[in-house]
Amino acid sequence: MTSSLGSDPDRLLPADPGTRAIARDLLAQVEDLPIISPHGHVDAAMIFNDTPFPDPATLLVSPDHYVTRLIHANGAPLERLRVGGTTGVEPRETWREFAKAWPLFDGTASGYWIRDEFANVFKLDLGPLDRDQSQETADALYDKLNARLQEPSFRPRQLFKDFNLEVMATTDDPLDDLSAHAALAADPTFAGRVLPTFRPDAYIKFHAAGWAERVERLIGEAGEGVVGYAGYIRALENRRQYFVQHGAVSADHGSRTALTLKIDAGAAEALFEKARRSEATAADADVFEAHMMYEMARMSVADGLVMTLHPGVFRNHHSSTFDRFGADTGHDIPFAVTYTEALRPLLADFGTEPGFHFIPFTIDETVFSREIAPLAGFYPAVYIGAPWWFLDAPDAMMRFRGAVTETAGFSRSSGFIDDTRAFCSIPARHNTSRRVEASFLARLVAEHRISEDRARSIIVDIVDAAPRRAFKL
């Protein structure tokens, strides 16, 4: 490794000189375009309040399960990384653990993003850490980074502008008052768009902690006096409308599988009441969730919210870690999911409905060419979700583009999705995607499969028009 890797203008571009030259030209068409981030997990209140970033460890290590999971796999206890809000060690000690583990990230997507962040956001050199992971080196880098975080130019609002962020979507509880979003929209000094996203998982999954209490509150606040299952549906519809009024363009669903089912209201009500009595089985929960995915599609047809689906993750795989540190702490593990049969009830009724946009994501890349691309190649409603989570890495992105394009072309994809909680990684992730797209298209040009002029048009469409089209922006 050298200190220049994170800022090398040819990073991720093809090794062949001729193809690389084509890729450079294509990248130049899009590298400075505004960032459209229609799905992520940054807190809107942080942007509105212009909250200063904390110390380097709390910003870059502890909340990032991409980072902590690999360090933990190599022997570091999660409490040493301050995971889940634990504070038994000082942030500097956590940073030392990260610095000691830095070689573990060679070849990983996380390592690439971090190097890109340091070079292009923080303007710091990781060369010393590449050569030496001693405590002294770690402390020197920590102090430099900590000083940079104190600068006024490193507050969220200024970075939002510097990142050239045009649109950033958050992920929000259905009963959130969205006050931060409203305040940002009304603030004449803030030029960007921060949009809420309706995320009802905790109100749909029977076994989510506090489900019954949460649902009672939902019905009480938004059910308009209607009780039971009917009040539950009414309340969800009303809250979706509230989100639309506050600028939301999509509703996101982290379902266990991609299964969708159309069952009658009586059967759904019976399952709903069974869950309220704490009598529902895991099978009951799966059926109800599949039914509610159908219902969410029906609601999207009515209110216009784009429906995104993120299935196929075994959440909280290690129970002891979940009990000690909570969710999103690195032990969510993908499993295989099928889409063709699972989505048929939803697509049979809504797949050709004008104005309905449905974006399925996957962490099982075997389904890109076998199922998702063929579905998007027929149904007007279906857009192909970009590589997500374990797949939002350079090589996986390249495999994705090859897998879906031969069947569905370039026009049926969602555009890049950063899906991040780490605000400072947004430009690095989007730049990664732009470089991969330039490299893929450059190969097609070099092989005389498309013209250079078409490649220039296509890459602009992929980067800029596709997310606007798919997410109705």
Side-chain angles (χ1 to χ4, degrees):
M1 291 186 182
T2 68
S3 61
S4 64
L5 287 176
S7 57
D8 191 308
D10 289 331
R11 59 193 187 279
L12 295 184
L13 299 187
D16 171 70
T19 312
R20 182 188 298 165
I22 300 169
R24 284 173 180 161
D25 174 70
L26 294 175
L27 180 62
Q29 310 300 312
V30 297
E31 192 165 22
D32 295 326
L33 287 179
I35 290 176
I36 309 295
S37 177
H39 175 76
H41 302 279
V42 174
D43 183 7
M46 180 193 76
I47 306 296
F48 173 66
N49 294 321
D50 207 22
T51 307
F53 293 111
D55 60 87
T58 304
L59 174 64
L60 296 171
V61 181
S62 302
D64 192 341
H65 54 73
Y66 285 86
V67 172
T68 59
R69 68 191 311 273
L70 189 56
I71 301 175
H72 174 262
N74 281 272
L78 289 177
E79 54 266 33
R80 292 283 300 167
L81 305 176
R82 294 168 60 92
V83 168
T86 54
T87 56
V89 301
E90 291 299 312
R92 186 179 293 271
E93 288 296 321
T94 293
W95 184 260
R96 289 169 179 167
E97 290 286 349
F98 165 73
K100 184 169 60 176
W102 176 238
L104 303 176
F105 292 94
D106 287 344
T108 68
S110 299
Y112 177 83
W113 293 328
I114 292 166
R115 190 180 294 282
D116 193 311
E117 280 182 73
F118 269 85
N120 300 299
V121 176
F122 301 113
K123 311 298 183 186
L124 292 176
D125 179 12
L126 274 176
L129 191 58
D130 287 332
R131 296 186 292 271
D132 173 21
Q133 292 83 45
S134 69
Q135 178 175 307
E136 292 74 18
T137 301
D139 285 350
L141 185 58
Y142 182 96
D143 291 336
K144 288 181 181 179
L145 184 53
N146 205 37
R148 187 61 52 87
L149 294 178
Q150 311 310 311
E151 297 174 7
S153 61
F154 272 80
R155 299 286 282 272
R157 288 189 177 218
Q158 184 60 46
L159 288 177
F160 197 104
K161 180 179 179 181
D162 293 346
F163 292 169
N164 200 15
L165 257 169
E166 180 180 324
V167 178
M168 186 187 77
T170 61
T171 304
D172 307 278
D173 186 278
L175 287 178
D176 195 304
D177 66 8
L178 305 182
S179 57
H181 296 84
L184 282 169
D187 186 346
T189 69
F190 184 73
R193 297 172 64 192
V194 178
L195 308 179
T197 300
F198 187 80
R199 177 75 176 236
D201 294 356
Y203 297 79
I204 289 173
K205 299 175 183 291
F206 287 167
H207 298 303
W211 176 84
E213 296 81 5
R214 196 176 291 111
V215 164
E216 289 304 315
R217 182 182 163 217
L218 173 71
I219 295 171
E221 292 190 18
E224 298 180 337
V226 182
V227 298
Y229 175 73
Y232 168 74
I233 294 296
R234 177 78 60 85
L236 287 169
E237 291 172 336
N238 286 339
R239 292 305 299 173
R240 288 172 63 102
Q241 284 295 335
Y242 183 84
F243 271 63
V244 170
Q245 292 162 10
H246 283 76
V249 297
S250 66
D252 182 53
H253 309 279
S255 59
R256 197 180 75 82
T257 72
L259 185 65
T260 62
L261 291 173
K262 181 181 181 181
I263 63 178
D264 63 51
E269 182 176 16
L271 288 171
F272 180 77
E273 294 300 334
K274 192 175 181 182
R276 293 173 85 184
R277 298 191 301 268
S278 300
E279 297 173 358
T281 65
D284 293 331
D286 284 347
V287 170
F288 187 79
E289 183 176 51
H291 163 69
M292 287 306 299
M293 291 305 97
Y294 179 93
E295 282 292 294
M296 291 293 108
R298 177 188 65 78
M299 293 181 196
S300 280
V301 170
D303 61 30
L305 288 178
V306 176
M307 181 177 179
T308 62
L309 188 70
H310 289 84
V313 184
F314 192 120
R315 306 279 178 174
N316 308 314
H317 193 267
H318 191 239
S319 299
S320 297
T321 296
F322 175 69
D323 291 342
R324 291 185 62 195
F325 300 101
D328 300 316
T329 50
H331 49 109
D332 295 338
I333 310 295
F335 61 86
V337 176
T338 60
Y339 291 77
T340 303
E341 283 296 325
L343 294 177
R344 193 178 182 202
L346 183 155
L347 294 176
D349 285 359
F350 309 123
T352 58
E353 192 71 26
F356 177 50
H357 288 196
F358 175 69
I359 308 177
F361 291 80
T362 185
I363 317 183
D364 177 2
E365 61 181 304
T366 66
V367 304
F368 278 133
S369 61
R370 187 181 68 243
E371 301 186 56
I372 292 180
L375 289 170
F378 173 79
Y379 288 99
V382 178
Y383 291 83
I384 304 168
W388 163 58
W389 203 337
F390 290 92
L391 299 182
D392 60 354
D395 288 340
M397 290 179 187
M398 187 69 80
R399 292 193 298 270
F400 159 82
R401 184 52 70 191
V404 303
T405 302
E406 290 186 344
T407 297
F410 292 101
S411 69
R412 303 303 302 162
S413 58
S414 67
F416 182 64
I417 305 294
D418 56 69
D419 189 42
T420 188
R421 291 173 171 81
F423 181 65
C424 291
S425 76
I426 289 175
R429 294 182 187 219
H430 282 263
N431 187 266
T432 298
S433 175
R434 295 175 188 194
R435 289 172 179 275
V436 170
E437 300 290 8
S439 296
F440 181 84
L441 285 164
R443 179 174 65 83
L444 297 191
V445 172
E447 294 174 357
H448 306 289
R449 297 167 65 181
I450 59 174
S451 69
E452 288 194 55
D453 284 345
R454 281 296 299 139
R456 292 189 189 103
S457 298
I458 289 168
I459 196 167
V460 172
D461 188 83
I462 290 171
V463 168
D464 191 73
R468 297 180 195 274
R469 182 167 57 239
F471 283 88
K472 304 181 181 180
L473 293 167

